[in-house]
Amino acid sequence: MLARRTFLGLMAGALAPRLGLADTPAIVATTGMIADAARAMTGLPVTALIGPGMDPHGHRPTRNDILTLSRADLVLWHGLNLEAQFAKLMTGLAQNATVLAVAEALPADLLLSDPAYPDRPDPHVWFDPGLWSQVTQAMEPTLAPFSPDVAAKAAAYRASIDTIGTYAKDVLATIPAESRLLVTAHDAFAYFGRAFGLEVEGVQGISTESEAGLSRIAELVNLLVDRRVPAVFVESSVSDRALRALIEGAAAKGHTVRIGGELFSDAMGPEGSYEGTWAGMMDHNATTIARALGGEAPERGAMGMLGSDG
Ligand SMILES: [Zn+2]
């Protein structure tokens, strides 16, 4: 019976997709980063499907995801092969809702490629404040019909991106030259490294679907020992098993490496917290990395808000 009611509900939605606009439009985003931008630019509630601690590379749409998407007036997804399991679904949704792959409007020459598959882009563009700002520009015309004052709100959001971007640049510049190596669980930080002048190595590849090989572990252990790099970083959405192998490998060679902290890579902090916003996520990551690699940054970050409830 439930299935039948659901089906009828879907049909009603399909026949009158714009009826809901008199009320609050249903806006659904795949990632928390996109939801944060859409909330800030519209002032409206936005549902994020791939929440804290979840991995967008491997996430298969659940029945609930599909139901939420089918009821949406506006669907915002990342594209660039990030939520690979959603691609087919998005094509179908475009018949009844406005659907935008927010990152696919970025000029190709600004994109990095996946080292394992050179013909595929690296999707982690939210870690370059300049690129994320461009993504919000691409979103603006699509959001405008859903809320008044999108242009003003978008300008304010971009100003907050600039503020955190400048802070990150300043604190990351204080890391000593030999320690400017960021080792993380998977290759999420190439854009971050390019934006802030850090070398970046992920134990796993761009997608979290692959297992790190023993030779890759040995290679990274040597790099950490040779450069006397003091810390590696876990990610909230990826297993830290391989990082523990690095720490043990370096210890066997007489060099102490510690876990420098947990970074938000493909998912942000809890909804409603400062770390659950793009600005809070960047602030947390830049502050954590700077402090663990021997640089200087205030413990509570750019705004004194890290570790608070929002
Ligand atoms: Zn990733």
Side-chain angles (χ1 to χ4, degrees):
M1 287 322 275
L2 183 67
R4 183 176 163 78
R5 272 212 310 276
T6 302
F7 176 72
L8 290 174
L10 290 180
M11 287 307 290
L15 291 173
R18 289 287 169 265
L19 260 186
L21 278 181
D23 311 311
T24 306
I27 307 179
V28 179
T30 50
T31 70
M33 291 71 83
I34 299 169
D36 180 63
R39 277 180 205 125
M41 292 165 71
T42 61
L44 295 169
V46 177
T47 304
L49 297 180
I50 304 168
M54 290 168 67
D55 173 10
H57 300 285
H59 183 73
R60 288 176 188 281
T62 63
R63 285 181 63 175
N64 232 339
D65 290 344
I66 293 167
L67 191 61
T68 306
L69 286 167
S70 67
R71 289 172 173 164
D73 300 299
L74 172 61
V75 176
L76 302 165
W77 66 304
H78 189 81
L80 301 182
N81 208 39
L82 177 71
E83 325 91 316
Q85 318 283 347
F86 280 79
K88 264 198 191 128
L89 188 58
M90 293 298 170
T91 310
L93 286 170
Q95 295 174 359
N96 296 317
T98 305
V99 178
L100 179 69
V102 301
E104 298 218 329
L106 288 169
D109 61 341
L110 296 181
L111 298 178
L112 297 169
S113 58
D114 181 335
Y117 305 94
D119 58 323
R120 289 189 200 163
D122 176 344
H124 304 87
V125 295
W126 55 90
F127 281 132
D128 178 333
L131 289 185
W132 194 239
S133 201
Q134 285 197 44
V135 166
T136 68
Q137 274 167 355
M139 289 167 69
E140 213 179 305
T142 305
L143 295 179
F146 292 88
S147 174
D149 301 327
V150 166
K153 291 187 186 105
Y157 187 66
R158 283 194 282 274
S160 74
I161 292 175
D162 287 349
T163 301
I164 294 295
T166 302
Y167 165 82
K169 197 164 204 158
D170 289 347
V171 298
L172 293 165
T174 66
I175 299 171
E178 68 278 10
S179 301
R180 300 186 70 80
L181 175 65
L182 177 61
V183 176
T184 60
H186 90 295
D187 266 334
F189 290 89
Y191 291 101
F192 187 93
R194 184 176 73 175
F196 300 113
L198 292 165
E199 275 177 71
V200 173
E201 298 285 350
V203 184
Q204 295 179 354
I206 291 276
S207 169
T208 51
E209 306 283 79
S210 65
E211 280 274 319
L214 286 177
S215 64
R216 177 66 177 151
I217 300 279
E219 182 188 2
L220 288 174
V221 165
N222 287 336
L223 205 52
L224 291 166
V225 173
D226 290 348
R227 300 267 299 263
R228 317 303 293 172
V229 175
V232 295
F233 299 87
V234 295
E235 295 172 38
S236 62
S237 56
V238 185
S239 157
D240 63 354
R241 196 155 40 97
L243 288 172
R244 288 201 295 271
L246 289 183
I247 290 172
E248 284 161 25
K253 295 189 170 211
H255 174 57
T256 303
V257 175
R258 64 187 188 87
I259 297 283
E262 183 180 81
L263 303 181
F264 298 112
S265 53
D266 294 356
M268 308 194 299
E271 241 175 72
S273 72
Y274 176 53
E275 288 84 349
T277 64
W278 180 91
M281 171 187 72
M282 280 295 284
D283 189 355
H284 169 90
N285 286 353
T287 301
T288 302
I289 292 165
R291 290 172 63 87
L293 293 181
E296 285 168 29
E299 193 178 353
R300 306 285 302 274
M303 312 287 171
M305 284 170 71
L306 291 177
S308 67
D309 291 332

